[in-house]
């Protein structure tokens, strides 16, 4: 013979499950958003490095890292034949939080013939 469940015996079960699962869900969401932000910053660093290398190869001043990505640092190096641009940028957790990841990108461009003769 089966006993009937009395209503109200599982009161609070949903609250307990939510209290246990919500922090894990928030941590997963934060990690996902940070990963998307890091991939976007990586693509922006690559574009900035490419632009800086090409501008320096033409003998122009490299573009400044103003907005994309925020906090980026551009380093230009090279020799008489090629120019190397290296860009690093911090990826912060939730906008203004601590730096979680630092992304980097590099690009190389051959110097233009007019600038090669000028540097020799």
């Amino acid at each position: 013979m089966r006993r009937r469940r009395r209503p109200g015996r599982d009161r609070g079960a949903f609250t307990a499950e939510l209290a246990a699962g919500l922090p894990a869900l928030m941590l997963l969401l934060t990690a996902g958003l940070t990963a998307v932000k890091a991939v976007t910053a990586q693509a922006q660093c690559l574009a900035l490095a490419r632009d800086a290398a090409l501008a320096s190869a033409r003998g122009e001043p490299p573009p400044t890292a103003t907005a994309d990505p925020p906090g980026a640092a551009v380093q230009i190096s090279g020799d008489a034949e090629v120019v190397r641009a290296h860009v690093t940028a911090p990826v912060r957790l939730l906008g203004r939080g601590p730096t979680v990841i630092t992304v980097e990108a590099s690009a190389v461009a051959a110097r233009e013939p007019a600038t090669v003769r000028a540097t020799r």
Side-chain angles (χ1 to χ4, degrees), residues 41-43 45-46 49 86-89 101-106:
Q42 174 71 28
C45 282
L46 183 59
H86 186 77
V87 178
T88 59
I101 303 168
T102 301
V103 293
E104 300 179 1
S106 297

Side-chain angles (χ1 to χ4, degrees), residues 34-93:
T34 303
V36 167
K37 206 171 172 187
V39 168
T40 303
Q42 174 71 28
Q44 291 171 339
C45 282
L46 183 59
L48 183 60
R50 195 176 310 134
D51 290 344
L54 288 174
S56 293
R58 288 190 296 258
E60 301 170 359
T64 58
T66 54
D68 292 332
V74 180
Q75 297 174 346
I76 303 292
S77 63
D79 53 27
E81 299 293 322
V82 295
V83 175
R84 292 175 187 84
H86 186 77
V87 178
T88 59
V91 176
R92 300 189 186 286
L93 184 67

